[in-house]
C-alpha cells in the first residue's frame, strides 16, 4: 500500500476503505518525511480497534499504528491535517496525539471525531487543551477568574487565548485542569504517570483548536 505514490504527493484520501491497523501503519511509514505531503484522510477504516483475549499480535499492531501516526506528525514538517474520524481510537490515543501536537508539530490539526471517546473524556481533554501556559511551559491562571465550587470558570477577563474545538464544561483554569487530570486518570488505558508528566511538561506550540472532536458526530453516542 502506497509503494508507488509520487514523491511530490500533497494529499491522499483513503477514507472508508477498510484498510485496518496493519495496512494503515505501512501507509503512514511510506508517507512520513515527504516534504510536500500535507493532508491525509484515513477516516472510517476500522483503525484503533482493541485486541481482545490473548491476541498479542493485534495489540502490538495497534501500538505500532499509534507510534506511526505520531512519527508522521513529527517528521513530516509541512504536514497540516490528519483525518482520523469514524474510527475506534480511545482516550489515551487522543492524549498521545495531543502531546505530539503541542511539543513537536507546530501547524498540523487532527480530526478524531466519532471515535471511542466519551463526553466526560472530551470535556477533560478540552480543559487540558485550553489551559494557558507561560514561556517556561508552566500553567498560569487567566488574569481575572472567578471559580464556582466545582472549579469551573464563572467569570473571566484577560488572560491568554482559549480554544473551542472540543465541547465540554470543564474550566480552562489550573483548577479545572486538575479536575480534568483526575477524570482522565480514572479512564481505562490512561497511564497516570504519563499524564502527570505531560500536564507538567513544556509546551512548545499553541494547542487550542488543533485537536478536533465531538462524540456526537454522525449521531453516534460513544462510551469508554
Amino acid at each position: 500500500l502506497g509503494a508507488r505514490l509520487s514523491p511530490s504527493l500533497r494529499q491522499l484520501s483513503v477514507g472508508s476503505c477498510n484498510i485496518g491497523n496493519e495496512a494503515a501503519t505501512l501507509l503512514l511509514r511510506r508517507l512520513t518525511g515527504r516534504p510536500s505531503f500535507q493532508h491525509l484522510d484515513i477516516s472510517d477504516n476500522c483503525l484503533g480497534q482493541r485486541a481482545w483475549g490473548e491476541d498479542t499480535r493485534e495489540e502490538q499492531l495497534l501500538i505500532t499504528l499509534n507510534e506511526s501516526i505520531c512519527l508522521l506528525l513529527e517528521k513530516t514538517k509541512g504536514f497540516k491535517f490528519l483525518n482520523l474520524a469514524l474510527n475506534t481510537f480511545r482516550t489515551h490515543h487522543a492524549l498521545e496525539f495531543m502531546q505530539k501536537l503541542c511539543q513537536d508539530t507546530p501547524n498540523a490539526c487532527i480530526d478524531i471525531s466519532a471515535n471511542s471517546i466519551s463526553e466526560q473524556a472530551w470535556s477533560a481533554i478540552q480543559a487540558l487543551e485550553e489551559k494557558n501556559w507561560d514561556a517556561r511551559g508552566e500553567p498560569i491562571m487567566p488574569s481575572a477568574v472567578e471559580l464556582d465550587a466545582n472549579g469551573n470558570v464563572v467569570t473571566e477577563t484577560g488572560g491568554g487565548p482559549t480554544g473551542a474545538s472540543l465541547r465540554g464544561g470543564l474550566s480552562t483554569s489550573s483548577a479545572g485542569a486538575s479536575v480534568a487530570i483526575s477524570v482522565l486518570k480514572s479512564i481505562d488505558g490512561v497511564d497516570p504517570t504519563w499524564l502527570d508528566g505531560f500536564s507538567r511538561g513544556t509546551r512548545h506550540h499553541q494547542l487550542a483548536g488543533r485537536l478536533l472532536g465531538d462524540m456526537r458526530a454522525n449521531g453516534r453516542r460513544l462510551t469508554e
Side-chain angles (χ1 to χ4, degrees), residues 103-119:
Q103 293 185 351
D104 300 305
T105 310
N107 300 313
C109 297
I110 300 175
D111 185 349
I112 196 170
S113 303
N115 277 258
S116 299
I117 302 171
S118 67
E119 183 175 12

Side-chain angles (χ1 to χ4, degrees), residues 19 30 38 41 49 70 76 97 121 132 140 145 147 157 167 179 183 206 208 210 220-221:
I19 60 177
R30 287 176 169 163
Q38 298 180 356
D41 181 356
Q49 287 187 342
C70 291
T76 312
F97 302 152
N132 296 318
I140 59 173
V145 171
L147 302 177
T157 61
R167 303 293 186 266
V179 173
V183 168
Q206 176 65 33
R210 298 174 57 214
R220 295 173 61 183
R221 186 167 184 83

Side-chain angles (χ1 to χ4, degrees), residues 152-166:
N152 297 318
V153 173
V154 179
T155 60
E156 175 180 334
T157 61
T162 59
S165 62
L166 304 179

Side-chain angles (χ1 to χ4, degrees), residues 56-110:
T56 55
R57 179 179 182 275
E58 286 299 319
E59 187 67 33
Q60 185 58 50
L61 283 175
L62 178 52
I63 294 171
T64 305
L65 171 63
N66 215 54
E67 292 173 347
S68 298
I69 291 171
C70 291
L71 195 62
L72 173 79
L73 295 169
E74 180 181 351
K75 300 296 184 181
T76 312
K77 299 305 181 182
F79 194 74
K80 295 182 179 180
F81 187 77
L82 175 62
N83 189 352
L84 297 174
L86 291 165
N87 285 297
T88 54
F89 290 103
R90 301 171 68 229
T91 300
H92 62 285
H93 301 132
L95 290 171
E96 291 177 20
F97 302 152
M98 173 186 282
Q99 180 187 41
K100 189 58 60 175
L101 289 176
C102 70
Q103 293 185 351
D104 300 305
T105 310
N107 300 313
C109 297
I110 300 175

